[in-house]
Amino acid sequence: MRNILLFVVGFIAIYLITTPTTAFPDPVDIDNPTIQEIGRWAVKEHVKKANDGIKFVKVVSGNKYPDLDLGTHYDLIIDALNRDGKDGKYEAEKMVLAKGQAGVNN
């Protein structure tokens, strides 16, 4: 049991040492047009999958996690309107890969 605990603690320590950029997020500049476009794209992709008719209003906050190997991971809070026109907040996670490709989970 002690060996397993030491292994887990060691693994976590190595992970935190080798990936320091993911441990400390930087806030996004919500006035940056690129950040707003990422949010707009995330809502558009969500609607394609969920067909729930939400409409993008703006990104209201978020963090970015630079990753030297993959690109930048964004965790955004998006203000959007539902099908009935009621305001709501949605969270979107998006990874922008180094070669300009993108993937999203929302």
Side-chain angles (χ1 to χ4, degrees):
M1 179 70 166
R2 182 175 175 208
N3 289 341
I4 292 173
L5 182 59
L6 288 174
F7 174 76
V8 171
V9 170
F11 179 78
I12 291 170
I14 290 170
Y15 176 77
L16 291 175
I17 290 169
T18 59
T19 58
T21 58
T22 60
F24 304 104
D26 293 322
V28 298
D29 175 8
I30 61 169
D31 296 322
N32 183 329
T34 301
I35 297 299
Q36 295 299 319
E37 187 57 36
I38 291 170
R40 186 176 290 108
W41 182 87
V43 170
K44 181 180 169 184
E45 290 300 309
H46 169 81
V47 170
K48 283 181 186 178
K49 294 177 184 176
N51 197 25
D52 58 6
I54 67 170
K55 298 196 184 310
F56 175 82
V57 175
K58 64 181 178 178
V59 174
V60 294
S61 67
N63 290 309
K64 62 182 176 178
Y65 303 82
D67 185 321
L68 298 176
D69 295 330
L70 298 176
T72 302
H73 174 93
Y74 293 94
D75 187 7
L76 304 176
I77 303 298
I78 298 170
D79 192 13
L81 301 174
N82 68 13
R83 192 172 282 173
D84 298 329
K86 293 183 181 178
D87 188 40
K89 301 282 189 267
Y90 299 86
E91 182 177 5
E93 294 179 17
K94 181 178 186 345
M95 176 64 80
V96 178
L97 302 177
K99 295 182 181 177
Q101 299 173 338
V104 68
N105 299 318
N106 48 352

